[in-house]
Amino acid sequence: MQKPIPIAIWLFICCALVFAMIVVGGVTRLTDSGLSIVEWQPIVGTMPPITQQDWDVLLEKYRATPQYQQVNKGMSVDEFKSIFWWEYFHRVLGRLIGLVFFVPFVYFLVKKQIDRPLGIKLAGIFILGGLQGFMGWYMVMSGLVNDPHVSQYRLTAHLGLAFVIFAAMFWVALGLLSPQREYSPGNDKMRSLRRFSFSLSSLIFIMVLSGGFVAGIRAGLAYNTFPLMNGHIIPPDLFILEPWYRNFFDNMTTVQFDHRLIAWILAFSVPLFWLKSRTVELQGTTRLACNVFLLMLAVQISLGIATLLHVVPIPLAASHQGGAVLLFAASLWVSHRLR
């Protein structure tokens, strides 16, 4: 017999761990720590260095990387430790998430508390988690040859997949708590509001991907003014690269402009959605979800502006990345309530 509440609680715990993983991953990127571990050892790599000899071996391997030779040449063991630990905790947290997901999953299966449709969904999420581990190493590999920076394409794919895994677990957990439709699908106003909410969730995911490119090429270090970009509504060097489509991924100006543009669209669209929701008779939980959605947008935009104006300090930037997860979660909550 399926027991939805314990399973939902377990999935929400996994969501919280993925949230922490995304924030730690952001700090790892901001501190340039991601290339400090040059090997992928899913089992052996769980053990941290203990002796001085362990640290010497790790540092010697790091010295062979382009990042050390071109950026951190002469780095001491103590300086190396400051970047190593962020990447180490990031990887260990990934393994912890896998363990926290897999063990209860097997338990619920053995106890026959998961039916076939739910089991297929959870198995799919577990496969996505394994793919995410591979994607993380594939991303790191891009910075271990020639250019001492990870590919912004692989970084964005890694970030996007983390949000997909979070969304899948969060959506399934919400479905366990509220398995029935809340509203009649024949209601025209409700159907319009439902489409609007799903569009906003999709747009937020696109903004997350654009944020991945901002982080990947450090576009946040340029144009640290708001609301204008160094005095321009539309900066003049949006299309200075050839071919033209490269600007959307490699041009700091265009990448930041796109991220700002999506934020502006959300800044007008989410309040419009909220006002539209006031014209529809909604249940108390759904109304609360709409209010939280609007509040999280205000928090996230404020964090984004503060991060930009202060030239991307680590605490603000990490909070901004965490805020993206919470805003996405709020949008999914609204969409699920209106489904």
Side-chain angles (χ1 to χ4, degrees):
M1 180 179 178
Q2 188 162 298
K3 296 184 178 180
I5 293 180
I7 298 172
I9 292 172
W10 159 57
L11 288 174
F12 282 131
I13 291 172
C14 290
C15 285
L17 289 173
V18 172
F19 169 80
M21 181 77 166
I22 291 172
V23 174
V24 171
V27 176
T28 301
R29 178 74 186 99
L30 291 162
T31 55
D32 286 323
S33 303
L35 302 177
S36 58
I37 302 178
V38 301
E39 295 175 325
W40 189 31
Q41 299 173 310
I43 306 300
V44 179
T46 304
M47 292 298 297
I50 299 173
T51 67
Q52 185 60 43
Q53 183 180 3
D54 293 338
W55 284 111
D56 291 339
V57 170
L58 288 170
L59 181 55
E60 192 60 34
K61 291 177 180 179
Y62 178 64
R63 283 172 177 159
T65 67
Q67 187 182 63
Y68 175 84
Q69 295 167 4
Q70 299 177 34
V71 180
N72 292 327
K73 198 169 183 66
M75 173 178 274
S76 67
V77 173
D78 288 338
E79 291 170 330
F80 173 69
K81 289 179 181 180
S82 68
I83 63 172
F84 171 88
W85 284 120
W86 278 114
E87 175 64 5
Y88 173 78
F89 285 127
H90 185 55
R91 295 192 186 195
V92 169
L93 189 54
R95 295 177 177 96
L96 177 62
I97 292 170
L99 191 64
V100 171
F101 187 92
F102 181 73
V103 173
F105 180 38
V106 172
Y107 172 82
F108 288 128
L109 281 176
V110 171
K111 293 293 185 178
K112 296 182 179 179
Q113 294 180 12
I114 294 177
D115 60 21
R116 183 178 177 82
L118 178 59
I120 292 173
K121 292 175 185 177
L122 295 176
I125 292 171
F126 184 72
I127 291 171
L128 285 176
L131 179 61
Q132 176 71 329
F134 170 77
M135 179 60 70
W137 176 242
Y138 183 61
M139 176 188 68
V140 170
M141 286 174 58
S142 67
L144 297 178
V145 291
N146 302 324
D147 186 4
H149 301 97
V150 299
S151 162
Q152 67 266 34
Y153 300 96
R154 299 185 192 185
L155 173 70
T156 302
H158 187 50
L159 177 65
L161 187 53
F163 272 76
V164 169
I165 293 170
F166 176 90
M169 291 193 298
F170 192 69
W171 191 267
V172 171
L174 291 174
L176 289 168
L177 295 179
S178 180
Q180 303 300 321
R181 281 184 178 272
E182 303 295 336
Y183 303 98
S184 168
N187 186 314
D188 289 340
K189 277 191 173 183
M190 195 63 65
R191 187 164 55 242
S192 174
L193 195 64
R194 186 181 305 122
R195 285 198 298 263
F196 199 173
S197 71
F198 275 98
S199 298
L200 291 173
S201 295
S202 300
L203 186 58
I204 290 168
F205 181 70
I206 293 171
M207 187 174 72
V208 167
L209 297 181
S210 76
F213 282 103
V214 169
I217 64 173
R218 292 178 169 78
L221 300 177
Y223 299 98
N224 299 105
T225 60
F226 187 85
L228 301 179
M229 296 178 68
N230 289 358
H232 299 282
I233 296 177
I234 300 178
D237 48 351
L238 283 178
F239 292 98
I240 59 175
L241 301 181
E242 294 290 344
W244 62 269
Y245 55 81
R246 281 190 55 213
N247 290 280
F248 293 100
F249 313 107
D250 299 323
N251 184 341
M252 294 175 71
T253 301
T254 312
V255 168
Q256 190 188 127
F257 178 80
D258 291 343
H259 195 60
R260 287 187 184 221
L261 180 61
I262 297 172
W264 276 114
I265 294 172
L266 287 170
F268 286 99
S269 299
V270 174
L272 180 61
F273 169 83
W274 183 83
L275 289 172
K276 191 172 182 179
S277 74
R278 307 298 294 181
T279 67
V280 180
E281 186 175 343
L282 299 176
Q283 295 181 14
T285 304
T286 310
R287 179 74 64 202
L288 174 63
C290 292
N291 293 338
V292 170
F293 187 23
L294 181 64
L295 176 63
M296 271 312 308
L297 176 77
V299 171
Q300 179 65 350
I301 288 179
S302 299
L303 285 171
I305 294 170
T307 301
L308 186 70
L309 294 179
H310 290 86
V311 197
V312 198
I314 292 174
L316 276 176
S319 299
H320 184 51
Q321 186 150 319
V325 184
L326 297 180
L327 176 62
F328 190 46
S331 74
L332 292 173
W333 186 22
V334 171
S335 295
H336 192 275
R337 293 294 305 177
L338 294 172
R339 74 195 190 288

